[in-house]
Amino acid sequence: MRKLAQSCEYLFVMLSLLFLSGGIITLLRNSAGADGPGGGDSLQQGISMGIYVITALLLILRRSAISKILYAGRWFWPLFVWVLLSCAWSIDPSLSIRRVFALLGTTIFGLYLADRFSMSAFLILLGRTLLLGAILSVIFVIFIPELGTHTPDGRGSAWRGIYWHKNMLGRISVISTITFALLSLQNSRHWWLAVLLSLGLLGMASSATGLFVLGATIFWWIILRLLRQRLQLLSLTLVLLISCGGGALIWLSENYELLLDAFGRDVTLTGRFPLWTAVVEYALRQPWIGYGYAAFWTAKDGWAPEVWSLVGWTVPHAHNGFLDIWLALGYIGVLLFVICVSLPLTEGLRSWREGYNDVLWPLLYTFIFALYNLTESSIVLGNSILHVLFVLSLTKLVSRQVPSHLRLARVAA
């Protein structure tokens, strides 16, 4: 009976992660004309609410876990309190309050996962979920191309698989590649087949940003490995990296147009520079406290239409997570976000240097999350797997486990 209950819990986690990734249901609803992720679609909201209710029940069954996860999320609660307070001055208070409840549920789900599973156990569970999503994406492209590709005719288009947008397939593929690579190193080499599959999906999604983020993440992984070297070797390596980086920056300053052409981008980053200029102008009108959580782009009587008219397209967000949190929560919100990230990140880097291998995936994911938010927006975003994994990562960075070499020493003793 206990084994059956455990299997049901694992299935619940996998299906929840798949749904929160924007897989299948969100795609089907969008194709039928429903709102996208974070919109007002009642079915998606109902499923999300069901996930959070079941999570609450699972926590009630393990009462000791409630106080543990509340303490584990101590780095996030000051920011959440400010998000909640922003409803008082929001340009659309009712909308902000609804989004706050979604954010709270998503955060609790992430904290539940961090408390319930060790990092190695969660990686296996996440890997199976992402592999299921990758296989289903291929099936959708082959058998339902009008859904699996990014244009209605299903021909000559980038893939989006089971996800609502090709960029989401690209983002999930980057996370999948890193996750599968870690699993292949820790558990079984068969995961390398999954690495090849996710790389193939990344390419078919035509995600130039995804390719850049993946390359940068691999470079960050190498730096993390170097951080464990002796001080003399580390110093020499850092000098070489800084020299190479400086040379690369000089080359980019003279050949940036060539690089942008190679990635299919123009000098405005597909209209993002004019958008960011307009967003900064409006953020400076309410710089300290912002316009209220999740309200600027969706409020019925807000300023978003003015921005749309300036940039010439109906943009759903600032295409920069840091600008969006400034718009929503002001300088104070940005400061609280920086604090809630920097403290766990500092602790995680210290743990990594001391031999705690379980912080490697959280360090890599936090890097991916930060890079993507330079051109997309997923900071403090409810009903999203990106926020779930972000919460879990920061929680794991401050939750030390015994280093693998010490575990082996204890076994040998």
Side-chain angles (χ1 to χ4, degrees):
M1 187 66 180
R2 186 175 180 181
K3 200 168 185 179
L4 177 62
Q6 187 180 64
S7 298
C8 290
E9 185 178 9
Y10 289 175
L11 180 62
F12 160 71
V13 169
M14 290 180 62
L15 293 178
S16 298
L17 290 173
L18 191 63
F19 169 75
L20 293 173
S21 70
I24 301 181
I25 292 179
T26 304
L27 173 61
L28 294 176
R29 299 295 289 175
N30 285 353
S31 66
D35 293 335
D41 183 74
S42 58
L43 176 62
Q44 296 180 53
Q45 290 178 349
I47 295 174
S48 300
M49 183 60 66
I51 291 173
Y52 306 142
V53 169
I54 294 174
T55 301
L57 292 175
L58 290 172
L59 289 174
I60 291 173
L61 292 175
R62 300 169 58 242
R63 294 180 183 177
S64 60
I66 297 177
S67 59
K68 286 175 62 179
I69 69 166
L70 290 175
Y71 178 73
R74 62 193 180 279
W75 48 268
F76 180 77
W77 299 128
L79 175 61
F80 179 79
V81 169
W82 185 248
V83 169
L84 182 61
L85 289 175
S86 75
C87 297
W89 59 81
S90 170
I91 58 178
D92 192 339
S94 61
L95 175 66
S96 294
I97 291 173
R98 292 198 302 272
R99 296 294 174 84
V100 164
F101 279 112
L103 177 64
L104 177 61
T106 310
T107 302
I108 293 295
F109 183 61
L111 291 172
Y112 150 74
L113 294 176
D115 176 73
R116 176 66 179 84
F117 303 100
S118 66
M119 195 64 243
S120 57
F122 177 75
L123 267 188
I124 294 174
L125 203 57
L126 177 63
R128 291 172 179 172
T129 304
L130 296 174
L131 181 59
L132 175 62
I135 294 173
L136 288 175
S137 291
V138 175
I139 292 174
F140 265 57
V141 170
I142 294 174
F143 295 104
I144 323 176
E146 63 273 15
L147 291 180
T149 52
H150 206 60
T151 54
D153 59 13
R155 294 176 296 178
S157 173
W159 290 13
R160 65 180 177 187
I162 62 171
Y163 302 100
W164 59 276
H165 196 280
K166 72 181 188 69
N167 289 342
M168 195 61 196
L169 174 61
R171 193 179 307 191
I172 292 295
S173 296
V174 171
I175 299 171
S176 299
T177 301
I178 295 299
T179 302
F180 296 154
L182 274 175
L183 286 170
S184 68
L185 294 173
Q186 297 176 3
N187 293 279
S188 170
R189 293 184 179 179
H190 296 302
W191 283 103
W192 278 111
L193 297 175
V195 173
L196 296 177
L197 175 60
S198 61
L199 285 174
L201 288 173
L202 178 59
M204 296 308 297
S206 300
S207 176
T209 303
L211 291 172
F212 171 78
V213 171
L214 179 60
T217 304
I218 293 173
F219 186 68
W220 171 237
W221 193 342
I222 294 173
I223 291 177
L224 289 175
R225 298 295 300 178
L226 292 173
L227 286 176
R228 284 188 166 179
Q229 305 303 317
R230 292 182 178 179
L231 184 59
Q232 296 85 349
L233 179 60
L234 177 60
S235 301
L236 177 61
T237 304
L238 288 177
V239 169
L240 291 175
L241 288 175
I242 292 172
S243 301
C244 292
L249 287 175
I250 294 174
W251 183 87
L252 285 174
S253 66
E254 299 175 352
N255 301 274
Y256 65 92
E257 292 185 359
L258 180 65
L259 183 65
L260 289 172
D261 287 340
F263 280 97
R265 296 290 187 268
D266 55 30
V267 292
T268 68
L269 288 181
T270 320
R272 285 182 172 87
F273 280 163
L275 171 63
W276 293 338
T277 301
V279 166
V280 169
E281 178 184 340
Y282 278 84
L284 287 173
R285 297 181 184 182
Q286 196 88 331
W288 287 100
I289 60 175
Y291 294 88
Y293 176 64
F296 185 86
W297 299 105
T298 48
K300 296 179 180 178
D301 300 319
W303 288 272
E306 295 183 14
V307 177
W308 298 338
S309 65
L310 287 173
V311 299
W313 54 305
T314 306
V315 57
H317 48 70
H319 279 279
N320 183 292
F322 305 100
L323 285 179
D324 264 328
I325 196 172
W326 184 23
L327 271 177
L329 306 173
Y331 286 138
I332 297 175
V334 173
L335 177 61
L336 290 172
F337 175 77
V338 170
I339 292 173
C340 88
V341 172
S342 59
L343 295 179
L345 190 59
T346 302
E347 182 65 23
L349 288 171
R350 184 184 298 114
S351 298
W352 172 252
R353 281 277 292 160
E354 294 175 0
Y356 292 82
N357 294 326
D358 286 332
V359 299
L360 177 57
W361 188 90
L363 286 172
L364 294 174
Y365 178 77
T366 305
F367 183 79
I368 293 172
F369 185 82
L371 278 186
Y372 262 114
N373 272 286
L374 294 176
T375 56
E376 297 296 333
S377 185
S378 56
I379 294 177
V380 289
L381 180 64
N383 297 337
S384 169
I385 190 176
L386 303 175
H387 184 70
V388 170
L389 297 180
F390 180 66
V391 170
L392 178 138
S393 296
L394 293 189
T395 304
K396 289 296 187 181
L397 287 176
V398 296
S399 302
R400 292 191 172 194
Q401 297 186 15
V402 179
S404 57
H405 66 278
L406 293 183
R407 287 201 298 267
L408 291 175
R410 289 180 180 179
V411 171

